[in-house]
Amino acid sequence: MDVTYESTKRELTTDQGVIRYHEAGADNSEVLLLLHGSGPGVTGWRNYRGNLEFFAKTHHCYVVEFPGFGVSDAVEGHPVLTAGASVIRFMDALGIDKAAVIGNSMGGVVGINLAIKHPDRIAKLVTIGGVGPNVFSPSPSEGLRLLQEFTDAPDRDKLVRWLNSMVFDRSLVTDELIEERWEAAINPDAAKTAAMMYGSKSFEMMQQFMANSTTPPYWASMHLVKCPTLLAWGRDDRVSPPDMAMVPMRLIPDAELHVFPKCGHWVMIEAKDAFESSVAAFLAR
């Protein structure tokens, strides 16, 4: 199976710009959407390029690039909200009635919100860190603090410090990865999106809004998630500490938690084989 970047890349023109994506797998297979996280230089391809061949053996896979991260066309609005809307727009355009979803970090939050608001569209859900509130750990976490520092005044040293917080094994932070992420992070659309999500001023405004809002946070509605859900977590995650898993594990009616040792925030990369095996068994039930 050819799952190179060039052989799998596609684009879809919608009424709100072009959504770019990667596609692989047999046409008659069940659909699996892979949704990426946030942070400097992130793309769906970079999150899942190492996993696509594995999951394409059993599913028709789509790695969706969210608007505003330098790949798909940017749209107006908060990135988490526009990401969810783009997934529904994507599914409608391709005639996908229902799909399983894997979401890393922000992608997991997007997946949870889709399962709450569009329960008939999400068959199964796998989240990788990121979902739920900090229970015992400080908020913002160490990783988010480093992300804020980079977003406020980007430079390579800050990028390296943030990348090191994402993994347990720092040997994964290679010169090639640093360069790749740096070049993507300075894309104007990606920089604008990062400022909206993680810039200090925007973050403080969001914290004040949440403190004064009478609208419950998304995680308070996780009891409405009806699909089977697998919460995947790195035991050594310094961006989304494992105590965050306690609330979704309790509130989502059909949820199970798998914690991977010696692993940080990028479970699908750092614990690749164990993650793929666990998710494959979950999806096959």
Side-chain angles (χ1 to χ4, degrees), residues 2-285:
D2 187 357
V3 291
T4 59
Y5 178 88
E6 290 296 331
S7 68
T8 59
K9 70 175 183 177
R10 312 277 190 271
E11 63 178 43
L12 173 69
T13 301
T14 76
D15 58 357
Q16 295 187 51
V18 175
I19 297 175
R20 294 180 174 85
Y21 62 101
H22 293 266
E23 179 181 12
D27 289 338
N28 60 349
S29 302
E30 294 181 357
V31 173
L32 175 63
L33 305 180
L34 296 102
L35 309 181
H36 65 79
S38 60
V42 71
T43 67
W45 176 254
R46 293 189 182 111
N47 267 184
Y48 297 112
R49 58 190 168 191
N51 312 112
L52 184 56
E53 182 176 10
F54 178 87
F55 289 115
K57 294 175 183 177
T58 55
H59 288 75
H60 195 98
C61 298
Y62 297 94
V63 180
V64 182
E65 301 289 358
F66 292 144
F69 288 83
V71 181
S72 292
D73 290 352
V75 298
E76 292 298 321
H78 191 277
V80 176
L81 300 179
T82 61
S86 74
V87 173
I88 295 299
R89 196 161 68 250
F90 178 85
M91 293 176 72
D92 288 346
L94 294 185
I96 301 170
D97 294 327
K98 197 169 190 175
V101 169
I102 297 176
N104 170 234
S105 197
M106 171 188 157
V109 175
V110 171
I112 288 280
N113 278 294
L114 289 173
I116 292 170
K117 297 174 183 177
H118 305 275
D120 57 323
R121 308 299 297 269
I122 309 301
K124 288 187 176 182
L125 176 61
V126 179
T127 66
I128 307 168
V131 299
N134 299 65
V135 179
F136 299 117
S137 57
S139 180
S141 65
E142 176 193 359
L144 289 183
R145 290 284 190 194
L146 292 171
L147 180 52
Q148 284 182 358
E149 291 177 10
F150 174 85
T151 303
D152 286 344
D155 64 41
R156 288 176 186 268
D157 288 341
K158 291 175 184 173
L159 176 65
V160 172
R161 287 199 293 274
W162 173 74
L163 286 169
N164 282 332
S165 77
M166 298 290 283
V167 296
F168 176 81
D169 180 5
R170 293 190 177 191
S171 69
L172 294 173
V173 182
T174 62
D175 291 341
E176 181 183 7
L177 176 64
I178 295 166
E179 185 63 27
E180 180 182 64
R181 286 293 186 125
W182 173 255
E183 289 300 321
I186 59 178
N187 173 282
D189 284 342
K192 181 180 177 182
T193 296
M196 289 177 63
M197 294 185 69
Y198 299 115
S200 293
K201 291 182 180 179
S202 296
F203 190 84
E204 287 301 322
M205 287 177 61
M206 181 60 68
Q207 292 297 103
Q208 284 296 320
F209 173 80
M210 292 171 62
N212 297 317
S213 176
T214 58
T215 302
Y218 80 91
W219 52 262
S221 298
M222 289 191 294
H223 61 286
L224 297 175
V225 175
K226 303 305 181 187
C227 63
T229 302
L230 173 63
L231 306 165
W233 228 283
R235 188 182 65 192
D236 303 284
D237 191 335
R238 292 152 62 194
V239 179
S240 303
D243 62 283
M244 290 178 65
M246 296 178 67
V247 172
M249 179 180 63
R250 169 57 67 183
L251 291 186
I252 298 173
D254 191 5
E256 55 193 88
L257 172 64
H258 193 128
V259 179
F260 296 83
K262 298 181 181 179
C263 183
H265 194 58
W266 290 333
V267 176
M268 68 288 185
I269 295 171
E270 199 164 13
K272 179 182 181 300
D273 292 342
F275 170 77
E276 290 174 347
S277 175
S278 298
V279 174
F282 171 75
L283 294 175
R285 291 183 206 151

